[in-house]
């Protein structure tokens, strides 16, 4: 999926946990959401570019697919995959009516059990790197947001978003679960790097879940 521009051959940006690694950084600026990758995967690619039908069905059996309430997209979390070199988990999203599994969202997860400050450090490194190379994008600092799952209001996340001219977004957030939630559910604080296409942005804007 490189047809949108020949320059993408040189511009695919790998969003790593510590830095963004890219080619010709002194002369090339990434301004298309498809120029960015997580574990080599970009929105606009298809699930079948990376996994066989057999592998997909195996992953579905391991972990139930998340289905958005109106069925406009489904998501699959893949963990413990030897292909992943940076992130501990990757969530892939697509339209369930699309037989080609074209990806409208790719998310990388890196876990920090009771280590929220280190999560914030990694988040800052990624944000700084995107700012250096992103072209026509708008940065939005969403600040601190309470996670509605925790009714006590003690769990929150801090998020920064980059809005691209093609309608896609990149969101970088650190989730800080309360001690009670962590102990009860065995959940870890996490760095989430989310790449979503214009199509998924629209879905999330109208019907988040």
């Amino acid at each position: 999926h490189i047809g949108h521009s020949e320059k993408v051959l040189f511009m695919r940006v790998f969003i790593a946990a510590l830095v963004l690694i890219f080619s010709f950084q002194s002369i090339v600026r990434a301004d298309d959401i498809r120029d960015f990758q997580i574990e080599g995967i970009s929105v606009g690619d298809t699930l079948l570019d990376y996994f066989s039908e057999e592998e997909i069905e195996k992953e579905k059996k391991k972990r139930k697919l998340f289905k958005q309430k109106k069925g406009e997209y489904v998501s699959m979390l893949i963990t413990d995959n030897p292909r992943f070199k940076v992130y501990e988990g990757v969530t892939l999203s697509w339209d369930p009516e699309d037989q080609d599994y074209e990806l409208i969202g790719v998310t990388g997860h890196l876990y920090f059990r009771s280590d929220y400050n280190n999560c914030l450090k990694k988040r800052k490194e990624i944000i700084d790197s995107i700012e250096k190379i992103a072209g026509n994008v708008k940065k939005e600092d969403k600040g601190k947001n309470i996670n509605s799952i925790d009714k006590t209001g003690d769990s929150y996340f801090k998020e920064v978003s980059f809005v691209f001219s093609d309608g896609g977004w990149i969101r970088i957030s650190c989730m800080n679960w309360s001690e009670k939630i962590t102990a009860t559910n065995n959940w870890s604080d996490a760095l989430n790097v989310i790449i979503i296409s214009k199509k998924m942005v629209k879905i999330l804007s109208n019907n988040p879940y």
Side-chain angles (χ1 to χ4, degrees):
H1 295 269
I2 307 177
H4 67 287
S5 172
E6 293 181 1
K7 69 178 180 178
V8 175
L9 288 169
F10 307 100
M11 289 174 56
R12 281 296 177 104
V13 181
F14 176 58
I15 301 183
L18 300 180
V19 295
L20 288 154
I21 302 171
F22 54 96
S23 301
F24 303 103
Q25 61 180 349
S26 62
I27 59 173
V28 174
R29 294 181 65 80
D31 56 7
D32 188 308
I33 198 68
R34 291 172 295 178
D35 296 335
F36 292 81
Q37 300 177 331
I38 288 177
E39 295 292 359
I41 305 173
S42 302
V43 294
D45 295 345
T46 77
L47 197 58
L48 294 172
D49 288 335
Y50 305 97
F51 303 96
S52 67
E53 289 277 9
E54 182 179 354
E55 288 175 309
I56 294 171
E57 290 304 314
K58 184 177 179 180
E59 289 292 339
K60 287 180 180 179
K61 290 178 181 178
K62 284 171 57 179
R63 193 185 302 268
K64 186 178 180 180
L65 287 181
F66 168 80
K67 295 184 179 181
Q68 186 258 358
K69 65 179 180 181
K70 288 195 173 182
E72 293 179 276
Y73 73 86
V74 295
S75 297
M76 178 169 66
L77 172 62
I78 302 174
T79 59
D80 304 317
N81 191 296
R83 299 182 188 184
F84 300 157
K85 306 303 181 185
V86 175
Y87 292 95
E88 295 168 77
V90 173
T91 296
L92 304 172
S93 303
W94 66 92
D95 181 341
E97 300 298 322
D98 184 357
Q99 299 300 312
D100 294 327
Y101 298 99
E102 181 176 325
L103 298 173
I104 60 175
V106 183
T107 301
H109 310 281
L110 196 59
Y111 302 107
F112 295 83
R113 187 169 184 83
S114 301
D115 193 9
Y116 185 66
N117 287 336
N118 203 27
C119 181
L120 290 176
K121 290 179 182 178
K122 296 291 187 280
R123 188 189 75 138
K124 184 178 185 303
E125 291 173 0
I126 293 176
I127 291 169
D128 290 347
S129 296
I130 292 178
E131 286 186 299
K132 289 178 181 177
I133 64 167
N136 186 23
V137 298
K138 176 184 178 183
K139 178 184 174 183
E140 297 182 355
D141 191 336
K142 303 293 185 178
K144 181 178 177 179
N145 301 270
I146 301 300
N147 192 307
S148 60
I149 293 176
D150 184 355
K151 301 305 180 183
T152 69
D154 294 332
S155 298
Y156 62 89
F157 61 94
K158 291 185 177 180
E159 180 179 278
V160 168
S161 297
F162 291 90
V163 183
F164 286 71
S165 58
D166 60 12
W169 288 53
I170 295 179
R171 294 176 174 174
I172 309 98
S173 68
C174 278
M175 182 65 226
N176 186 17
W177 294 110
S178 68
E179 292 183 7
K180 182 178 180 180
I181 288 287
T182 298
T184 302
N185 299 318
N186 196 31
W187 291 351
S188 295
D189 297 342
L191 169 71
N192 298 303
V193 182
I194 308 166
I195 306 176
I196 52 178
S197 68
K198 179 180 179 180
K199 180 176 181 177
M200 191 163 182
V201 168
K202 184 176 181 181
I203 293 172
L204 292 174
S205 297
N206 296 331
N207 302 287
Y209 306 107

